Amino acid sequence: MDIDFWLERWNNNQTGFHQQSINPYLVYFYGDKGPPVEQRDKLRVFVPLCGKSKDMLWLSQNGYRVFAVECSERAVKDFFEENALNYKFAVKDQHALYQSSELASQIEIFQGDFFEIQPHDMDTVSDIFDRASLVALPEEMRQSYVNKMAELQRSGTRTLLVTLTYDPAEMKGPPFSVTEEAVHELYHENFSVQKLLSKQVINEESGLKNRGLTSLVETVYKLVRK
Ligand SMILES: C[S@@+](CC[C@H](N)C(=O)[O-])C[C@H]1O[C@@H](n2cnc3c(N)ncnc32)[C@H](O)[C@@H]1O
């Protein structure tokens, strides 16, 4: 599943993965239950394969700095424009970087290929929010994604990872089904893996139900880079 596949989806408005609401797990673990408000400006949250997710706006409004990556220029511009945010465009190390210009907690989006990010871009990243990112990739790309994640993170970096599990015979991804066994297999070498919760969500996902799914389990993990 290459970048052209996703650029075409953005161009054809096939963006059913985009949510108008803020992800409830992000709000739960990074809101009142999360780091104290006065410490949040020291935290920089990386959002891989970010699309135009409103979760980035929520993070910024709640005091976190945001660094994100998205291959689609259209998605990045839509994010700033639909949320009425002014932005600056810069070229850094030959890559396109969009930066909010007025928010107290800055949002920076690298527009390009996730696999081109370098560890120095992630210097001050403390946390990662992975929703619809790992599960967006087919099985054959997962290990490269996780290896790149491990290369990019310093020890102690925390990830909130949201996965989906369903019977692959019922639907062709994306999103792809990722089992608990697969998460442990992919991450255990370089990360501690803690399952936080699991929830049956098929009745909240009418789009995926219409594609044939009879069960869809969302699982949330906390990963910490060793
Ligand atoms: C399923 S969407 C999820 C978007 C976002 N995480 C959300 O919750 O709405 C996956 C996104 O990853 C982007 N993407 C896919 N491969 C990428 C890559 N190699 N580098 C950067 N972005 C990529 C796609 O354009 C798409 O916007």
Side-chain angles (χ1 to χ4, degrees):
M1 194 141 297
D2 56 12
I3 281 180
D4 285 342
F5 166 86
W6 290 102
L7 297 183
E8 203 179 310
R9 288 196 70 160
W10 279 102
N11 287 338
N12 296 332
N13 292 318
Q14 291 173 309
T15 52
F17 51 80
H18 178 68
Q19 295 189 337
Q20 289 304 330
S21 54
I22 309 302
N23 185 270
Y25 307 122
L26 180 66
V27 174
Y28 185 75
F29 290 107
Y30 281 81
D32 291 347
K33 246 187 96 65
V37 175
E38 64 278 8
Q39 287 176 18
R40 292 182 188 169
D41 63 342
K42 294 182 194 69
L43 304 177
R44 189 171 178 233
V45 182
F46 177 53
V47 184
L49 283 54
C50 65
K52 57 175 182 178
S53 166
K54 285 186 182 289
D55 298 334
M56 297 187 279
L57 188 60
W58 183 89
L59 282 163
S60 167
Q61 287 169 339
N62 284 275
Y64 300 96
R65 289 177 294 135
V66 175
F67 175 58
V69 62
E70 168 56 48
C71 61
S72 160
E73 181 186 23
R74 161 95 189 270
V76 178
K77 287 188 167 166
D78 279 0
F79 170 74
F80 285 105
E81 286 162 16
E82 289 174 11
N83 294 299
L85 300 172
N86 290 327
Y87 63 89
K88 291 182 289 192
F89 172 80
V91 176
K92 190 180 166 221
D93 301 335
Q94 299 178 332
H95 298 302
L97 192 66
Y98 291 75
Q99 298 168 304
S100 61
S101 47
E102 282 158 11
L103 295 174
S105 301
Q106 199 181 45
I107 300 175
E108 286 186 305
I109 306 182
F110 170 92
Q111 187 242 312
D113 187 352
F114 162 79
F115 291 95
E116 287 181 8
I117 295 186
Q118 296 304 313
H120 65 80
D121 297 315
M122 300 273 291
D123 264 355
T124 53
V125 167
S126 54
D127 295 77
I128 298 175
F129 180 55
D130 185 322
R131 183 257 157 196
S133 308
L134 172 70
V135 299
L137 302 173
E139 197 173 347
E140 62 273 18
M141 286 183 74
R142 276 182 209 155
Q143 192 64 61
S144 316
Y145 174 82
V146 173
N147 291 349
K148 183 71 186 177
M149 278 293 198
E151 178 201 328
L152 291 173
Q153 294 176 40
R154 44 184 184 151
S155 171
T157 304
R158 298 166 290 254
T159 299
L160 193 66
L161 168 69
V162 184
T163 62
L164 297 171
T165 312
Y166 61 84
D167 177 357
E170 292 184 340
M171 186 185 89
K172 216 168 141 256
F176 294 94
S177 176
V178 181
T179 61
E180 273 185 57
E181 295 71 34
V183 168
H184 284 276
E185 184 67 25
L186 286 162
Y187 287 97
H188 82 277
E189 195 180 331
N190 291 311
F191 298 83
S192 71
V193 180
Q194 182 190 359
K195 179 179 159 187
L196 298 175
L197 63 99
S198 239
K199 194 179 164 208
Q200 174 61 249
V201 294
I202 189 63
N203 290 325
E204 295 154 41
E205 293 288 345
S206 53
L208 298 179
K209 203 174 177 177
N210 290 341
R211 281 169 68 184
L213 291 193
T214 53
S215 165
L216 179 68
V217 174
E218 212 164 44
T219 306
V220 183
Y221 300 87
K222 178 180 178 181
L223 313 173
V224 180
R225 177 75 169 96
K226 290 179 188 166

